[in-house]
Structures are given as C-alpha cells and as structure tokens.
Amino acid sequence: MPRDPNIPDAFDVFTLVLLRRPAHAPDLLEADLDSLQARHLAYRAGLRDEGVLVVNGPLDEQSDVTMRGLSIFACDIHEARRLSDGDPSVQAGRLTYDVMEWWVAAGTLDFPEADRQVGRRQAMPDD
C-alpha cells in the first residue's frame, strides 16, 4: 500500500513536558507559595541557561485547568523526566508533569536561540 501523501517523509521529534497541578496539591501560606514560585522560576531559568530547556512558559485559557505550563527540552525523555523531578515545585508536590515526544513535520519548527540541537530527525515507522 502506498504511503499516505499527508504523512511527511520525515519528522522532527521534540521532548515536551507538560506541567500540571495535581488534584491533592498541598496548601501553602502565600509567603511560602511566593518563595516556592521564585525557586521554581530560578530552577527553570538555570535549565534554560544550561541550554537544556529551550522554551517554556505558563498556559492560560486552557480547557483543563490542571495544565499549568509547557516546555520543550533539548534532551531525551529520560533526562527531561530527571530534570523535571528536580524542580522545587515538583518536589513540593505543587506540580506534577507529563513527558512525551512530539512529532512535527521536519523543518516546520526552529529554535534559533538554542545553542545545541533540539530534537532529532526521524521517519515515521511503517506499520
């Protein structure tokens, strides 16, 4: 059977992390939340400075309010999981995350400020 013409010949595969608020996140005093948020932002800024976190930011007007932020990492899913585990908000139980690969048509997404390769080029496996 010929390949569907709507399926690209090659894909760029990116590591995506979706930050979520867990159902039973601990309640904290406002001062503690502010301190935790500052540590969370500093941690993620450090990952960005290292070049492993390429883009990230909060979500708004999402259909699922547990979704809090989205990041693209310049590493595999195992390293992204390890790095996400080190986030102070994850360690405090205020955030959790989902890690996944995101496949987009090759060459359709670029990160000109990245100082390393982001993602990998791959063909869609044949069924």
Side-chain angles (χ1 to χ4, degrees), residues 96-119:
T96 189
Y97 60 88
D98 298 319
V99 180
M100 62 206 77
E101 288 184 341
W102 183 35
W103 292 51
V104 300
T108 59
L109 190 57
D110 189 29
F111 302 99
E113 294 182 15
D115 63 358
R116 65 178 74 181
Q117 180 178 336
V118 180

Side-chain angles (χ1 to χ4, degrees), residues 17-20 44 57-59 62 66-71 95:
V17 174
L18 176 63
L19 293 173
R20 294 182 170 275
R44 297 186 82 72
L59 299 170
Q62 65 276 33
T66 68
M67 296 187 298
R68 308 304 300 159
L70 187 69
S71 305
L95 291 176

